[in-house]
Amino acid sequence: MNKKLCAQIAFLVFILILWQILYSMHIWPELLFPSVSMIGDAFIRAFTERELGVMILHSLRLLIEGLFIGVVFAFILSSLFAINENLSAIYNMLVCMFDLIPGIALIPVAILWLGIGDEAIIFMVVHSVIWPMSRSIIDGFKAVPKIYTEVGKNMGLYGAKLIFGVYLPASFERLFSGIKVGWARAWRGLISAEMVFGGGSALGIGYYITDRRTNLDISGIFATIIVIILIGIVVEYGIFRVIEKNTVVKWGMVH
Amino acid sequence: MGDGTLSTEPILHIENLHKEYDNPVTLVLNNVSFDLFREDFLCILGPSGCGKSTLIRCIAGFEKYSGTIEVDGKRVESPGSDRTMVFQDFNQLFPWITVINNIAYPLKINGMKDKAERLKKAETYLNKVGLSEYRDYYPHQLSGGMKQRVAIARAMALGSRIILMDEPFAALDAMSRNQMQDELLRIKEGEGMTVLFITHNIQEAITLGNRIMVMGNSGNIIEHMENPIEKPVTPASPGYSELWKHLNRLLRNECQLEKGQ
Ligand SMILES: Nc1ncnc2c1ncn2[C@@H]1O[C@H](COP(=O)(O)OP(=O)(O)OP(=O)(O)O)[C@@H](O)[C@H]1O
Ligand SMILES: [Mg+2]
């Protein structure tokens, strides 16, 4: 594990050195290919002189709200449509259909229906989350081993208690992978939407990257891309992996 | 069967039980009738596929049936904590909670409000199956035999009227199987449990049961007897080999009948 980490870090350092060498060879103009230290500078300035910190917080707030709404609605819809076989066939079809629409393709609809504001962004995020999440709920609940539900019923669980006491924990791995897929899509969708119209009531990270482009600030663009990568890494390793380690891994449900 | 002062009302009353599966249409239980009394340990033997699991699943309330199944005079309509099932499958513990919580959780569901009380009771029963040190383990960290012990402790702690066991030791090696049989008998005597126990294994039925029932291929009962051999049973116990031969002959006949068809 530690050896792998060393290898990964060494590789990143190698890329940085290579980048710097390419820069010092002046093959491309500085305007298109900045030096490592210029990108570092732009990174720091983004947070000190400019408002990237505030924008990130705004983007993340919308993302979390949308994720929450998406997950809740996925649960409500999946359970409503589970009432009978025809309804669940219809919902399966809906999930397949809507899941195919890239978030960005819905931006025009969001703008026309909801205007340029937080609602449009949240709409996008909800769209990114609700379909993969529904799929995880439907497939996850179906895949719960019969023995767990029978043991649950045997000890006196039924209805909502059976859902919370058995179905949710027993399908946690799939539900969680639904959230992960949803988050990854929502994060991309959110940045795209903000690049198109700034980012709701306040400006977001996607706005910042467009703004840097209009200012011909290539270092700023690269700095923002690094920020986007860093946030992704923090969420993956700082949140998702930690949750997994304390649930499905601890329970021996994944290896 | 106990000391004679026990009430003569059966805990479990089964009469003219029939069970048919729709897909494919097969009659699995054919006119099964018997009673189970307090502190009975009834072992059911039968060839594979004769309907033993179906019978116990009907009693547990997992299957629809026609005829009568009553527990304490009440018709069985659905699963309930008055009849706890111990399955053959090792994976019957909830993997997402620790061993102790697997035993304590059903107590909570069944109205024991005080957490300390629940844990204390769970610990008592975990101790009875000799797994106190494994209190905070998760089920995947236990061996198959240990998981079955915890499942038995879970059923006992809940204090069900009847414990239904569907070949709980079938997947264990001979050594642990014998050990589990001794343990189960000891606990059963101490707790005064009422047990319905399904097995393939004649030795197991003779060792554990105070009554033995044999089912035939057509889902009927072909033998129902008191176990005349005194506990503890060993292969050297008087009458053991005669009884073993008798049961073996019944089972062999059933197997041959099936092949002859
Ligand atoms: N859900 C089902 N649908 C249709 N047929 C079934 C179903 N479950 C069991 N059967 C059939 O019912 C018969 C009895 O099965 P059951 O599992 O009760 O046998 P068993 O005596 O427990 O066998 P074993 O000793 O192998 O566990 C078998 O012929 C089986 O094919
Ligand atoms: Mg069976």
Side-chain angles (χ1 to χ4, degrees), chain B residues 12 37 68 90 135 142 186 195 232 250 252 258:
Chain B
L12 174 69
F37 295 89
T68 308
F90 290 161
R135 194 182 179 284
L142 304 183
R186 184 173 49 73
V195 183
L250 285 172
R252 270 249 290 284
E258 191 175 37

Side-chain angles (χ1 to χ4, degrees), chain B residues 41-46 177 181 185 197-214 227 229 231 233 240 243-244 247 251:
Chain B
F41 199 128
L42 173 61
C43 286
I44 302 181
L45 278 166
R177 189 172 179 142
Q181 288 169 358
L185 262 189
F197 191 102
I198 284 176
T199 176
H200 263 108
N201 185 312
I202 300 176
Q203 174 270 339
E204 189 160 73
I206 301 178
T207 309
L208 295 175
N210 69 322
R211 285 162 65 200
I212 299 171
M213 212 165 89
V214 181
N227 183 354
I229 301 172
K231 306 248 148 33
V233 178
Y240 180 95
L243 182 57
W244 194 92
L247 295 170
L251 289 173

Side-chain angles (χ1 to χ4, degrees), chain A residues 146-157 161 164-166 169-170 249-253, chain B residues 57 62 79-81 83-85 87 89 91-96 105-106 109-110 138 140 154:
Chain A
K146 197 167 121 195
I147 192 160
Y148 294 148
T149 58
E150 286 188 345
V151 167
K153 286 180 193 162
N154 198 172
M155 60 178 68
L157 294 170
K161 281 186 182 166
F164 284 102
V166 175
V249 175
K250 196 165 80 177
W251 303 340
M253 290 166 97
Chain B
R57 289 177 55 79
F62 295 136
S81 53
R83 292 149 281 143
T84 300
M85 181 90 149
F87 296 85
D89 193 335
N91 294 316
Q92 60 191 299
L93 302 175
F94 290 151
W96 53 89
Y105 181 61
I109 306 299
N110 284 276
Y138 281 87
H140 75 103
R154 173 169 73 180

Side-chain angles (χ1 to χ4, degrees), chain A residues 146, chain B residues 21-24 26 28-29 46-55 57 63 88 166-167 198 200 215:
Chain A
K146 197 167 121 195
Chain B
Y21 285 112
D22 317 327
N23 185 26
T26 28
V28 181
L29 298 175
S48 185
C50 72
K52 303 181 298 298
S53 295
T54 304
L55 170 64
R57 289 177 55 79
E63 306 281 348
Q88 176 178 344
D166 189 358
E167 309 201 39
I198 284 176
H200 263 108
M215 281 179 70

Side-chain angles (χ1 to χ4, degrees), chain A residues 62 69 129 176 197 245 253:
Chain A
L62 296 183
I69 298 173
V129 177
F176 196 64
F197 62 85
K245 220 176 115 211
M253 290 166 97

